[in-house]
Amino acid sequence: MFLDLLIRRNPQFIEAAMSLHQQGKIPANAYVLDLDAVERNARIFSEAASKLGLTTFAMTKQVGRHSGFCQAVMRGGINRSVAVDMPCAVACDRAGLKTGHLGHLVQVPQQEADFAASHLKPDFWTVFSDAKAHEAATAANRANREQALMARIQTEGDTFYRGHEGGFEAGDIVQVADHLDGLQGGRFAGITTFPALLFDQETRKVKPTPNLTTLNKAAEALALARRSDIQINAPGTTSSAVLAALANAGATQVEPGNGLHGTTPLHAVEDLPEDPAVLYLSEVSHQHGGKAYCFGGGLYIDPVFPKYQVRALVSSSPTATPSALRNVEIPDYSAIDYYAMIDADDGSIPASGDTVVFGFRGQAFVTRAMVAGIRGVESGNPEVTTIENGFGDPVNWPGAFA
């Protein structure tokens, strides 16, 4: 879905990644990042958000919490992360991108609360329940800190992905705020939900979910209770194009993830300011039954669009020309993606070792893929910075397999 966008708007990146792979500097089964483009995207986003009075926290899970990505984001003006889980927070913190928001979407496990409070020291910590609020506040108190707590709220009719459910009843927000303020080591700081925005397939536009209305009603109730300076965290499908709408809806915090590498659904249908800055790279392994099989391991395509014909650029030399495109069949989500199958109906079967480049919305942190950063694409002198795993740990490739 995003390969056409890459070909049109960042062909030098494709060619650089292919060249480095052919030189033996990038492994197959790797998400590859154009770190200079990420820095530009972060700057575009942070400047637009700042003008609207919005605080930005960067999401890094989609690109495996890569340290180079974290540092590019910081150079672009975003100095805090939102951590989807504790490994995310630890990886970003190690890279220098400190924790702005922890606990949303994944709550902090009980035995890890003390570490979070004493070492990560998040600006905001989201809790879904009284029990998790007590854990967070108690851990902060032991660390001699007062922790700003965000209440995840929900009500009937709100939109959640299956398995993401949870949170305080929105109609009880004033009592929830009072309760959180009463916890030693904690204080109520604001409200959050997910997703506040979603891409609409029919209109091909980003639209607010019912959750955003829930946030607004809760904010009004808090204002009537004479609570001021309330943080309203409204993540979901966030690019610079939606910032004004979020600010007008009362949001104070925004959390770009795919927006920082140009792969929100809206990027696929409209030209937005952010350039595409990530691709998935593989290579041909073998041939069988008139098809070429390329290595998998990272073929988790985030299903924000209905199923479509996946294509890839396949070549023995660097190219971003559409003539190198081939249809590809990837395994169903119920199978392990050891390989994907490249069509060769025209009789020319790709050779073993040929480079294969995909463009899709990935979630590197749930795959077996490595993540490689590249700098110097625009200058014509691309070089690999670091190769890391999905936890942001440096990988001594190929020595890691020794």
Side-chain angles (χ1 to χ4, degrees):
M1 183 62 73
F2 292 90
L3 188 54
D4 291 341
L5 181 66
L6 273 164
I7 290 171
R8 187 165 55 82
R9 291 188 55 173
N10 203 351
Q12 311 99 305
F13 172 42
I14 295 173
E15 293 170 357
M18 282 185 153
S19 176
L20 289 166
H21 170 250
Q22 290 292 328
Q23 295 172 46
K25 295 180 180 178
I26 293 179
N29 181 29
Y31 288 90
V32 186
L33 295 165
D34 181 345
L35 297 178
D36 297 327
V38 170
E39 180 180 340
R40 291 194 303 272
N41 291 345
R43 185 170 294 107
I44 288 167
F45 192 98
S46 63
E47 289 177 354
S50 180
K51 289 176 183 176
L52 294 166
L54 297 168
T55 299
T56 302
F57 301 136
M59 175 62 82
T60 68
K61 68 185 176 77
Q62 294 96 342
V63 292
R65 304 95 180 235
H66 188 273
S67 65
F69 179 83
C70 293
Q71 290 151 15
V73 162
M74 287 188 286
R75 289 193 299 272
I78 300 172
N79 62 9
R80 288 290 188 274
S81 75
V82 48
V84 71
D85 53 21
M86 282 293 285
C88 196
V90 170
C92 291
D93 184 80
R94 184 173 61 235
L97 185 61
K98 300 304 179 183
T99 307
H101 186 193
L102 181 66
H104 194 217
L105 294 165
V106 181
Q107 295 281 271
V108 177
Q110 187 179 77
Q111 300 304 322
E112 297 171 32
D114 282 333
F115 177 84
S118 62
H119 290 78
L120 299 176
K121 301 177 182 177
D123 297 337
F124 299 93
W125 186 326
T126 283
V127 292
F128 289 13
S129 65
D130 287 345
K132 300 308 286 184
H134 179 76
E135 289 173 12
T138 300
N141 189 52
R142 279 198 286 261
N144 296 313
R145 296 178 56 238
E146 182 181 69
Q147 179 62 57
L149 299 173
M150 301 277 284
R152 210 276 194 109
I153 60 172
Q154 52 77 39
T155 197
E156 186 176 355
D158 279 356
T159 298
F160 291 102
Y161 293 107
R162 186 63 178 147
H164 288 202
E165 300 90 348
F168 296 96
E169 168 55 46
D172 298 333
I173 189 57
V174 174
Q175 295 94 317
V176 169
D178 290 342
H179 176 69
L180 297 189
D181 273 344
L183 296 173
Q184 191 171 6
R187 66 175 176 85
F188 175 74
I191 50 179
T192 187
T193 186
F194 178 82
L197 300 175
L198 275 179
F199 181 76
D200 181 72
Q201 299 287 350
E202 291 186 6
T203 63
R204 295 162 74 92
K205 299 290 183 183
V206 174
K207 292 186 174 181
T209 67
N211 307 33
L212 193 56
T213 300
T214 299
L215 282 180
N216 287 333
K217 289 181 177 178
E220 289 171 1
L222 290 164
L224 287 172
R226 297 184 178 180
R227 284 186 173 270
S228 59
D229 194 26
I230 299 302
Q231 296 295 315
I232 300 176
N233 179 275
T237 318
T238 312
S239 66
S240 60
V242 304
L243 292 180
L246 286 171
N248 289 337
T252 66
Q253 297 177 357
V254 290
E255 298 180 343
N258 287 294
L260 296 175
H261 32 90
T263 55
T264 74
L266 195 59
H267 283 90
V269 299
E270 291 184 20
D271 272 348
L272 303 185
E274 300 92 358
D275 284 319
V278 62
L279 58 81
Y280 177 71
L281 184 143
S282 183
E283 72 176 55
V284 174
S285 166
H286 61 280
Q287 299 78 27
H288 175 76
K291 294 184 182 293
Y293 284 62
C294 68
F295 296 104
L299 291 169
Y300 177 89
I301 299 179
D302 198 353
V304 294
F305 294 103
K307 285 192 175 181
Y308 59 90
Q309 177 59 63
V310 176
R311 298 194 298 171
L313 288 165
V314 184
S315 179
S316 60
S317 59
T319 182
T321 58
S323 61
L325 286 168
R326 292 178 181 262
N327 290 340
V328 181
E329 177 188 350
I330 65 170
D332 186 79
Y333 292 135
S334 62
I336 298 172
D337 64 325
Y338 292 119
Y339 298 100
M341 290 71 74
I342 303 168
D343 284 345
D345 294 336
D346 62 359
S348 61
I349 300 180
S352 297
D354 281 1
T355 306
V356 183
V357 167
F358 294 85
F360 55 78
R361 269 172 59 100
Q363 296 281 353
F365 80 118
V366 297
T367 73
R368 310 185 308 281
M370 287 180 268
V371 186
I374 298 177
R375 296 197 68 178
V377 168
E378 257 192 16
S379 69
N381 297 298
E383 60 179 6
V384 177
T385 58
T386 60
I387 298 170
E388 301 177 9
N389 61 23
F391 294 95
D393 301 313
V395 174
N396 180 26
W397 175 82
F401 304 118

